């Protein structure tokens, strides 16, 4: 595995983001809407650096990518709170084409929150296919498939404490089920 962002780089980035959010919201209560499962670790680390009153609301997004078209996104909102009239902070692990964030933003606005701010841990530079951009992105990364710190390949590797790029040897090990 090639390490792209080390544990200490990730923590420094999160401290910086938390500082900006604390300045933005001060002690106003917010509702964090975290896109599962990828933003789980990001969420857990970020909230411990915030000190305003906050609610945590979870939404599950799964995309079905078949053939050459990037397919439909299905949303499951059983762990969502009522966000009507709330100041919301939408979190995701990575902004790639941007379709996930854009779809979920549209869905959130239908529920008439007071405001929505978006923050992603990683931004894959140059890949966006949508008009919207995250308000905050902690790290810009090149167009490589990354795992760790919440991000998965085939639902594995989310527990790595760093963000890494899988190399040929990792892919071989993965394929052989190790
Ligand atoms: P988008 O809708 O194309 O912006 O993709 C966002 C979603 O795709 C993220 O929530 C991730 O779950 C997944 N994704 C995109 N790029 C990567 C990657 O490099 N590693 C792991 N997951 C990724
Ligand atoms: Mg995801």
């Amino acid at each position: 595995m090639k390490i792209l962002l080390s544990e200490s780089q990730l923590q420094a980035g999160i401290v910086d983001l938390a500082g900006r959010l604390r300045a933005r919201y001060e002690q106003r209560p917010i509702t964090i809407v975290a896109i599962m499962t990828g933003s789980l670790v990001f969420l857990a680390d970020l909230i411990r650096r915030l000190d305003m009153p906050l609610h945590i609301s979870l939404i599950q997004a799964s995309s079905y990518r078949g053939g050459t078209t990037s397919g439909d996104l299905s949303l499951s909102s059983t762990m969502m709170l009522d966000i009507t009239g709330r100041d919301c902070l939408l979190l995701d692990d990575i902004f790639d084409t941007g379709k996930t964030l854009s779809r979920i933003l549209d869905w959130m606005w239908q529920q008439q929150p007071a405001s929505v701010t978006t923050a992603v841990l990683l931004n894959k530079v140059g890949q966006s296919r949508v008009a919207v951009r995250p308000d905050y992105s902690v790290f810009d990364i090149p167009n490589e498939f990354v795992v760790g710190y919440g991000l998965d390949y085939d639902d594995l590797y989310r527990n790595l404490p760093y963000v890494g790029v899988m190399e040929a040897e990792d892919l071989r090990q993965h394929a052989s089920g190790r």
Side-chain angles (χ1 to χ4, degrees), residues 35 38 61 63 65 73 92-101 124 141 144-147 151-153 158:
I35 304 175
S63 56
R65 291 171 205 246
L73 190 71
D92 203 4
D93 51 0
I94 188 165
F95 186 87
D96 184 7
T97 66
K99 289 180 181 174
T100 304
L101 202 76
K124 263 193 202 176
I141 62 164
E144 291 190 277
F145 192 83
V146 293
V147 296
L151 293 121
D152 73 300
Y153 174 62
R158 295 193 196 274

Side-chain angles (χ1 to χ4, degrees), residues 20-163:
R20 291 165 194 257
L21 295 171
R22 288 160 69 135
R24 180 180 190 119
Y25 292 107
E26 298 182 325
Q27 287 301 308
R28 278 196 287 151
I30 61 171
T31 299
I32 297 189
V33 177
I35 304 175
M36 290 293 109
T37 304
S39 69
L40 179 69
V41 184
F42 179 35
L43 171 71
D45 279 350
L46 180 66
I47 57 173
R48 285 176 289 172
R49 306 276 180 184
L50 297 177
D51 62 355
M52 71 286 281
L54 62 85
H55 290 115
I56 296 172
S57 182
L58 306 178
I59 184 163
Q60 175 90 48
S62 333
S63 56
Y64 301 100
R65 291 171 205 246
T68 53
T69 55
S70 68
D72 269 350
L73 190 71
S74 100
L75 300 183
S76 157
S77 56
T78 50
M79 294 186 73
M80 269 297 287
L81 303 176
D82 182 6
I83 58 168
T84 309
R86 299 282 183 171
D87 288 311
C88 296
L89 173 65
L90 176 61
L91 293 187
D92 203 4
D93 51 0
I94 188 165
F95 186 87
D96 184 7
T97 66
K99 289 180 181 174
T100 304
L101 202 76
S102 169
R103 264 286 309 277
I104 292 178
L105 262 179
D106 288 347
W107 179 84
M108 284 175 70
W109 280 117
Q110 289 169 21
Q111 294 155 71
Q112 301 181 307
S115 67
V116 184
T117 298
T118 56
V120 297
L121 180 73
L122 308 175
N123 173 44
K124 263 193 202 176
V125 173
Q127 298 308 303
S128 175
R129 308 253 301 273
V130 297
V132 67
R133 294 290 176 275
D135 296 306
Y136 300 93
S137 66
V138 185
F139 298 100
D140 283 340
I141 62 164
N143 185 23
E144 291 190 277
F145 192 83
V146 293
V147 296
Y149 200 75
L151 293 121
D152 73 300
Y153 174 62
D154 209 7
D155 257 313
L156 286 167
Y157 311 104
R158 295 193 196 274
N159 54 319
L160 297 177
Y162 51 83
V163 171

